[in-house]
């Protein structure tokens, strides 16, 4: 379901992605789903840029935000998930703008 939702987002099938979006958000409570999210987003990164339209970007950011909110501070996966998410945000949003959004400055890029 996660893979299908992400594929719909990147194929700009926003209405199809929105149908499964609530279930995907619920699934992100599991560690396996959060890791799968990083993997799936990483597969859509081509080169150093991935241009997204506003609705696509909104859905991708909501997925990443949900995954990061669920990760507990004591989880061993937090560093791995956060670093992968940061790389994806930097690519999807623009190298320096994304890091500024996250409040990390240019250190993450």
């Amino acid at each position: 379901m996660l893979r299908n939702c992400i594929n719909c987002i990147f194929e700009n099938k926003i209405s199809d992605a929105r149908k499964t979006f609530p279930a995907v958000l619920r699934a992100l409570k599991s560690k396996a789903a959060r890791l799968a999210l990083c993997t799936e987003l990483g597969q859509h990164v081509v080169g150093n840029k991935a241009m997204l339209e506003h609705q696509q970007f909104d859905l991708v950011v909501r997925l990443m935000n949900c995954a990061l909110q669920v990760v507990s501070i004591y989880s061993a996966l937090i560093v791995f998930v956060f670093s992968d998410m940061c790389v994806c945000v930097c690519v999807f949003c623009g190298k320096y703008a994304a890091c500024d959004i996250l409040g990390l400055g240019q250190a993450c890029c």
Side-chain angles (χ1 to χ4, degrees), residues 25-31 34 63-73 75 78:
L25 292 179
R26 284 190 302 274
L28 287 174
K29 292 179 182 176
S30 79
K31 290 179 185 179
R34 291 190 300 270
L63 287 172
M64 292 190 295
N65 187 42
C66 179
L68 289 172
Q69 286 180 355
V70 174
V71 176
S72 76
I73 226 165
S75 174
I78 192 166

Side-chain angles (χ1 to χ4, degrees), residues 8-69:
C8 286
I9 291 170
F10 283 93
E11 293 171 4
N12 211 11
K13 298 178 182 177
I14 302 301
S15 61
D16 291 339
R18 288 189 191 274
K19 290 176 187 175
T20 58
F21 204 75
V24 170
L25 292 179
R26 284 190 302 274
L28 287 174
K29 292 179 182 176
S30 79
K31 290 179 185 179
R34 291 190 300 270
L35 292 174
L37 174 66
C38 292
T39 302
E40 289 298 318
L41 291 176
Q43 291 177 356
H44 287 280
V45 175
V46 179
N48 208 13
K49 279 202 168 185
M51 297 302 293
L52 299 177
E53 293 183 14
H54 178 71
Q55 289 181 329
Q56 291 172 295
F57 180 74
D58 180 55
L59 292 177
V60 169
V61 169
R62 287 177 60 196
L63 287 172
M64 292 190 295
N65 187 42
C66 179
L68 289 172
Q69 286 180 355

